[in-house]
Amino acid sequence: MSIVKKIVVGYMVIIFIPVIACGTFFYFQIYGSLVSQFADNRQNILEQAYSNLKTDLARIESVHRIFQYSAYVTDYLDGAYETDSESVYTHLRYIGPLFSQSIAINPEMKSMVIYTLKDRVLTIPERFVDRAALNPEVLPAVATLKPGQGIWIRLSEEGAEPSFGYYQYLYNSRYTEKIGLLEIRVGDEMVRRFLKAAGVGEHWRALLLSREGTLLPLEPSGEVSAAEDRKWAEIAADRSTESDFVYHQTIVNQLFVKELGVRVLIAGQVDDVFEGIRNREIVLVAIIIALLVTLSVIYYFFASSIAKRILKLARHMRSVSDSNLKLMTNSQSDKDEIGFLTLSYNAMIQRLDELINHVHRAELRNKEAAYKVLQAQIKPHFLYNTLETIRMLAEANDDKEVADISYSFARLMRYSLSPQKDDTVLSAEIEMVAYYLNIHQARLGDRLEVEFDIRLNADSVPCPRFMLQPLVENCIVHGASAVLRPVRISIIAEEADDHIRIALTDNGAGIARDKLINIRALLAGGSDAKANSGDEDGGLGLFNVSERIKTFYGGSSRLELESEEGKGTALTLYLSKGTVSLL
């Protein structure tokens, strides 16, 4: 089966048929629970609106604290001002702005009045009113209020839209006596804003019920009769424990606002809410099926075009060989992944062609490199032969000193220039150092004395090449050459349980203390200290040896330096035996 047929069959089996079957099944399964879920969502909206309402009520209630904690208000209500002029001045200067500010930041407030409870208090209209003007129906509710406690009371008259008032006592500064009663009235706008936030609108009807279940008047939001309102009030009273329910194709959400003492009931017809779905079910299904068929046809053409390009690439891959590296043609408009794959494939074919064509030139370059290596090998041999000729002429002329220097220098050069590995054995390294010291003994004469004390089998100890020569050179340059008196250089090698110790000591000029501190810091700091220091104080040769033995031997391998100016220097190598096995 071709890839195009596989794509079509796979689409029908995996996508088209399962989508139709599952869509039909879930349509009938989901519709039954959709109404219940919608009712739950509506209840969440109602509770969120209630939360916002509580925030508004708390903000209004906080006005009491402004007046309670104002010394001018408490003094005014306590009769502290003896003359009316003092009372008027205090009201205009300090108390009046509190009223104005409180009303300004709480637009829900229709009025705010403080009822005075003491006789010697100047009354001011709409601000400080005598307690005799208090509504008698409010007195039983506020009589039991405790300090810090307030109460909301419905103030609506029968037949009028509901409005509410908040009442809380004001006390003197010591909270020992009631001196006033704060009354804050809010209109029905706060309740209407709450209902609007709860979703009351075109298809949703809101009812307000008192604590006793009495229907409170509210401007109707639809053509619903008073009898039907009473019916829903009775139904809500019977099912007061349920936050939301569905009754005869009507979704009902209810919530008790304990602060205001009212129950909010919101109802809406299922048919009204889902009328668009019910009326267009068949049309919607037909549109979905037609759209799915149309998309299937479009998908077939897209899949076919992609499959053809993949098949073309596969055919070209089968035809590629050493004798056929022709590039595959690719349209400039193909900028997708397959086009990128084709470009990469062509780049690979082109690269293979270049590699095959360049093999011959690479072989010629290899032959030329081999010739240059052979030529480089001839030059050291010419140097060795020249030194050997000098030694032989010196021996013929009975000049033993020149002969010995020539021999030592030839062995030193052969060790340095021979193409060997980077590592050797300790015996070869000590032998090379001996030749190096022979040359300097011929130069310094009686001023240089050398002693070797090898207390181990040096042939079995591996070591990096040129591990000791920089240390011996340090003894010659900074020790023996810096003084005119005789200098003794001692090289001791011995073996312990876990390490090998090699000590190089001289009694030469030594190292100044400041310079010694810098070199020790360089040895201890590693590559970071090397990067931050120059070569003004020397020590880079010692640093290189230290780093090489740490890399080669690992473990606790290190180079230690001891010196005293005018008395000499001691260089000690500690070579760990844990990581490098003895031969």
Side-chain angles (χ1 to χ4, degrees):
M1 184 182 294
S2 66
I3 189 172
V4 177
K5 293 181 180 179
K6 289 180 180 179
I7 292 176
V8 174
V9 173
Y11 173 78
M12 296 296 295
V13 174
I14 299 175
I15 299 178
F16 187 83
I17 296 176
V19 166
I20 295 296
C22 293
T24 303
F25 174 77
F26 281 109
Y27 173 78
F28 291 105
Q29 291 292 323
I30 292 174
Y31 187 80
S33 62
L34 182 62
V35 175
S36 178
Q37 294 178 3
F38 186 80
D40 293 339
N41 293 335
R42 292 287 306 181
Q43 186 66 29
N44 292 335
I45 295 174
L46 179 59
E47 291 176 357
Q48 181 62 44
Y50 176 47
S51 177
N52 296 337
L53 176 63
K54 289 194 294 185
T55 301
D56 293 338
L57 295 176
R59 173 168 46 80
I60 295 173
E61 293 171 5
S62 65
V63 174
H64 171 269
R65 291 194 293 272
I66 297 176
F67 286 89
Q68 178 64 63
Y69 297 136
S70 174
Y72 297 104
V73 175
T74 56
D75 289 345
Y76 189 96
L77 294 174
D78 204 18
Y81 302 109
E82 297 180 355
T83 63
D84 291 347
S85 60
E86 289 180 341
S87 299
V88 171
Y89 174 79
T90 302
H91 175 268
L92 295 177
R93 183 70 175 84
Y94 301 106
I95 302 177
L98 294 180
F99 278 91
S100 302
Q101 180 183 6
S102 300
I103 295 175
I105 63 177
N106 297 282
E108 303 89 349
M109 294 167 49
K110 292 176 60 177
S111 64
M112 181 169 57
V113 175
I114 297 177
Y115 292 98
T116 61
L117 302 181
K118 303 191 78 172
D119 295 333
R120 296 185 306 159
V121 179
L122 177 66
T123 59
I124 299 176
E126 297 182 358
R127 290 290 184 268
F128 295 96
V129 181
D130 188 80
R131 61 181 176 274
L134 182 63
N135 188 347
E137 296 179 358
V138 175
L139 291 175
V142 301
T144 58
L145 290 180
K146 299 177 181 179
Q149 182 182 10
I151 188 173
W152 286 91
I153 301 176
R154 183 171 57 86
L155 302 175
S156 302
E157 299 179 358
E158 186 174 355
E161 296 180 4
S163 63
F164 298 88
Y166 178 73
Y167 294 87
Q168 187 171 357
Y169 281 109
L170 294 170
Y171 290 80
N172 59 9
S173 58
R174 293 184 299 275
Y175 277 84
T176 58
E177 182 184 8
K178 299 176 183 178
I179 57 176
L181 177 64
L182 175 65
E183 177 192 74
I184 301 176
R185 295 197 178 199
V186 296
D188 61 341
E189 295 179 359
M190 182 175 65
V191 176
R192 293 191 179 279
R193 186 167 65 248
F194 160 68
L195 296 177
K196 182 178 180 181
V200 175
E202 181 180 0
H203 300 298
W204 295 93
R205 166 74 169 163
L207 301 177
L208 291 182
L209 305 177
S210 65
R211 294 180 185 270
E212 299 77 16
T214 305
L215 183 66
L216 301 179
L218 188 66
E219 182 181 351
S221 57
E223 296 180 359
V224 181
S225 64
E228 187 172 354
D229 287 347
R230 288 191 294 272
K231 182 191 74 171
W232 282 115
E234 294 174 359
I235 295 173
D238 295 336
R239 308 182 69 166
S240 60
T241 59
E242 301 180 44
S243 59
D244 61 88
F245 57 90
V246 179
Y247 182 82
H248 290 179
Q249 296 298 309
T250 300
I251 300 175
V252 179
N253 299 96
Q254 59 178 341
L255 183 144
F256 182 71
V257 183
K258 62 181 180 178
E259 290 82 0
L260 302 181
V262 297
R263 181 180 299 278
V264 179
L265 188 72
I266 300 178
Q269 294 293 323
V270 174
D271 292 339
D272 293 337
V273 175
F274 298 101
E275 60 179 351
I277 297 177
R278 285 198 172 276
N279 295 334
R280 300 175 184 176
E281 286 178 356
I282 299 177
V283 177
L284 182 61
V285 171
I287 292 175
I288 292 175
I289 293 176
L291 181 61
L292 189 58
V293 172
T294 303
L295 294 177
S296 300
V297 174
I298 296 174
Y299 170 81
Y300 170 78
F301 284 108
F302 275 110
S304 177
S305 63
I306 294 174
K308 288 179 180 178
R309 294 168 61 193
I310 295 176
L311 293 174
K312 181 181 178 181
L313 181 59
R315 286 194 297 269
H316 192 278
M317 287 181 176
R318 295 190 190 99
S319 64
V320 171
S321 63
D322 293 343
S323 59
N324 181 19
L325 294 176
K326 183 180 179 181
L327 298 180
M328 178 180 175
T329 58
N330 187 32
S331 175
Q332 295 293 331
S333 60
D334 296 336
K335 302 295 184 180
D336 55 3
E337 288 77 4
I338 299 178
F340 176 76
L341 180 62
T342 303
L343 291 175
S344 301
Y345 171 72
N346 285 336
M348 181 186 68
I349 295 297
Q350 188 175 5
R351 181 59 179 165
L352 288 175
D353 187 30
E354 292 176 356
L355 291 176
I356 293 175
N357 291 333
H358 293 169
V359 167
H360 181 65
R361 290 196 293 273
E363 292 179 352
L364 293 178
R365 287 195 296 269
N366 289 337
K367 291 180 179 180
E368 183 179 357
Y371 171 74
K372 290 183 177 180
V373 170
L374 179 61
Q375 200 175 34
Q377 292 176 348
I378 295 174
K379 295 178 181 179
H381 284 292
F382 177 75
L383 177 61
Y384 304 152
N385 294 335
T386 301
L387 291 172
E388 182 65 18
T389 301
I390 295 173
R391 186 184 70 82
M392 293 175 63
L393 290 174
E395 287 183 352
N397 294 330
D398 198 18
D399 194 343
K400 188 176 183 304
E401 186 175 3
V402 174
D404 291 341
I405 292 177
S406 298
Y407 178 75
S408 297
F409 184 65
R411 294 300 301 268
L412 185 62
M413 289 298 101
R414 189 178 296 274
Y415 183 84
S416 301
L417 300 178
S418 59
Q420 297 179 356
K421 297 187 298 182
D422 291 336
D423 57 306
T424 182
V425 293
L426 182 59
S427 60
E429 186 71 9
I430 293 175
E431 183 182 13
M432 188 274 294
V433 169
Y435 290 134
Y436 179 79
L437 289 172
N438 287 340
I439 296 173
H440 284 286
Q441 278 184 311
R443 180 173 66 87
L444 298 175
D446 296 337
R447 289 172 52 201
L448 178 61
E449 181 180 352
V450 178
E451 178 185 6
F452 288 91
D453 185 6
I454 310 302
R455 306 171 187 172
L456 50 77
N457 183 11
D459 291 332
S460 65
V461 180
C463 69
R465 297 179 68 191
F466 298 101
M467 178 182 70
L468 299 179
Q469 188 273 336
L471 306 183
V472 175
E473 182 178 358
N474 184 79
C475 294
I476 295 294
V477 175
H478 300 289
S481 299
V483 295
L484 298 178
R485 58 180 171 80
V487 174
R488 180 184 182 85
I489 296 177
S490 175
I491 300 176
I492 301 175
E494 58 185 0
E495 182 176 1
D497 292 337
D498 58 348
H499 67 272
I500 295 171
R501 175 178 174 273
I502 302 175
L504 292 85
T505 61
D506 68 78
N507 58 350
I511 304 174
R513 181 169 181 79
D514 294 342
K515 186 175 180 180
L516 178 63
I517 293 174
N518 293 335
I519 295 176
R520 283 178 174 173
L522 179 64
L523 294 177
S527 56
D528 293 337
K530 180 183 177 183
N532 296 328
S533 66
D535 195 22
E536 295 82 358
D537 295 328
L540 289 182
L542 302 181
F543 171 81
N544 292 333
V545 173
S546 176
E547 292 300 306
R548 290 182 67 200
I549 64 172
K550 289 178 182 177
T551 302
F552 189 86
Y553 293 99
S556 59
S557 301
R558 63 192 183 277
L559 169 61
E560 293 186 357
L561 171 63
E562 298 290 340
S563 182
E564 186 174 353
E565 190 173 6
K567 293 185 179 181
T569 302
L571 296 167
T572 306
L573 294 175
Y574 293 92
L575 310 179
S576 176
K577 296 166 61 176
T579 57
V580 178
S581 302
L582 299 181
L583 300 177

